[in-house]
């Protein structure tokens, strides 16, 4: 099941949750998983248009914790690679 939060062409999605480093935030664009798996993630707060922040990871990097909708959720690499995101632009301090 592909669930998308906007009308951008699929080739515009170049980032996944696995591309985020600890502390990076992104907006979830699409969940590219089978229906039941996608539905379960949505129940945990992974909805298109929601801000997701990368947290800590286990030794070896699998699983990794993500903060979404006020909760921390650990996802395996293979799952995190199927969640497509738009990276948030870093704010530069004004002088």
């Amino acid at each position: 099941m592909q669930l998308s939060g906007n009308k951008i062409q699929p080739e515009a999605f170049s980032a996944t949750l696995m591309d985020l480093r600890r502390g990076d935030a992104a907006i979830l664009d699409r969940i590219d998983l089978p229906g039941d798996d996608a539905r379960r993630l949505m129940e945990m707060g992974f909805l298109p248009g929601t801000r997701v922040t990368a947290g800590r990871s286990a030794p070896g990097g699998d699983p990794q914790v993500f903060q979404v909708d006020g909760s921390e959720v650990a996802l395996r690499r293979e799952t995190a690679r199927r969640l497509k995101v738009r990276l948030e632009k870093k704010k530069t301090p004004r002088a």
Side-chain angles (χ1 to χ4, degrees):
M1 173 185 278
Q2 290 186 358
L3 301 170
S4 178
N6 62 33
K7 305 274 189 227
I8 297 174
Q9 296 298 319
E11 54 270 13
F13 300 110
S14 58
T16 70
L17 286 183
M18 285 309 301
D19 295 320
L20 302 180
R21 296 178 190 249
R22 187 174 184 174
D24 286 350
I27 303 300
L28 183 63
D29 260 323
R30 185 172 56 150
I31 301 172
D32 189 18
L33 287 167
D36 289 340
D37 295 334
R39 198 170 355 273
R40 180 67 182 130
L41 286 174
M42 290 172 59
E43 289 170 356
M44 291 188 285
F46 288 91
L47 297 167
T50 302
R51 185 174 190 260
V52 180
T53 304
R56 61 192 182 280
S57 62
D62 197 21
Q64 184 169 351
V65 174
F66 296 93
Q67 296 169 347
V68 61
D69 196 28
S71 298
E72 290 187 338
V73 179
L75 296 177
R76 293 208 170 272
R77 285 179 179 211
E78 63 231 28
T79 301
R81 279 191 188 102
R82 307 286 297 272
L83 278 71
K84 312 299 181 185
V85 296
R86 283 189 324 259
L87 299 176
E88 289 188 343
K89 296 189 192 291
K90 303 239 182 210
K91 294 182 180 177
T92 55
R94 294 184 181 175

